Amino acid sequence: MKTLVVYYSRTQNTKKIAEEIASKLKCSIEELIDLKSRKGIFGYIKGGHEALVKGHTELWDLRHDPSKYDLVIIGTPVWGGMVTPAVRTFIRDNKKKLGKVAFFCTMAGKSDQKTFAGMEKLSKKPIATLAVRSREVKKDLYEEKLEEYIGKIL
Ligand SMILES: Cc1cc2nc3c(=O)[nH]c(=O)nc-3n(C[C@H](O)[C@H](O)[C@H](O)COP(=O)(O)O)c2cc1C
């Protein structure tokens, strides 16, 4: 199955999981670049607010065409219990180009189910989901559930 991992990451947690998934699946990877600055406290507050009000953003042009892939694995940090504006924008702009989808997220606490439900509403039912806490990312405590996730995808 031709697979693309697409993700957004502000502080590298989601990036780490995305890179590991792509490496295990030996597939292509695309980082979403949000053209709005998300740096510092103002970036945090503004980003959180935009996520809460289901806002969109402007993204840098994609390097990969999602329509060329059988499966697109979409990863986001949880912001305010929701998907990030970058991932919301990617899904809105590429909805018709998506074949099968799988989701993953990283988060400090919970809200993974709410985030995945929101992503499903925007696109379609995922073949698999994976939620990893930031603490687990930092301490490499996610290998077992990552393997399980990969197993569902293959
Ligand atoms: C603006 C903002 C809002 C956040 N809101 C939540 C939240 O509602 N629930 C949660 O568990 N974590 C929340 N977090 C924490 C992030 O989801 C978590 O640190 C994640 O791993 C960051 O991913 P990244 O390093 O790829 O950017 C928030 C972080 C930011 C920056």
Side-chain angles (χ1 to χ4, degrees), residues 116-142:
F116 293 146
M119 292 167 81
E120 181 174 335
K121 209 168 160 195
L122 294 169
S123 57
K124 57 178 75 171
K125 200 172 174 57
I127 61 167
T129 59
L130 168 72
V132 187
R133 295 218 162 77
S134 357
R135 194 183 137 269
E136 295 173 319
V137 179
K138 300 267 189 293
K139 298 195 168 182
D140 293 322
L141 293 173
Y142 53 83

Side-chain angles (χ1 to χ4, degrees), residues 33-142:
I33 307 295
D34 190 334
L35 294 178
K36 286 190 193 172
S37 171
R38 303 297 182 189
K39 286 185 188 151
I41 187 68
F42 290 112
Y44 183 103
I45 294 167
K46 213 163 151 261
H49 177 258
E50 283 177 23
L52 269 174
V53 298
K54 301 184 177 173
H56 292 92
T57 188
E58 272 186 78
L59 297 176
W60 192 255
D61 293 344
L62 299 181
R63 291 177 299 117
H64 299 83
D65 176 355
S67 69
K68 302 267 191 294
Y69 296 84
D70 307 305
L71 169 68
V72 178
I73 303 176
I74 306 171
T76 185
V78 172
W79 281 7
M82 317 275 272
V83 65
T84 47
V87 170
R88 182 180 296 281
T89 302
F90 167 77
I91 297 176
R92 178 196 66 185
D93 295 350
N94 294 280
K95 197 176 167 180
K96 290 189 181 139
K97 297 183 182 173
L98 299 175
K100 287 183 185 168
V101 295
F103 303 148
F104 67 99
C105 71
T106 69
M107 67 212 164
K110 28 190 185 180
S111 299
D112 49 319
Q113 291 311 318
K114 189 178 161 206
T115 301
F116 293 146
M119 292 167 81
E120 181 174 335
K121 209 168 160 195
L122 294 169
S123 57
K124 57 178 75 171
K125 200 172 174 57
I127 61 167
T129 59
L130 168 72
V132 187
R133 295 218 162 77
S134 357
R135 194 183 137 269
E136 295 173 319
V137 179
K138 300 267 189 293
K139 298 195 168 182
D140 293 322
L141 293 173
Y142 53 83

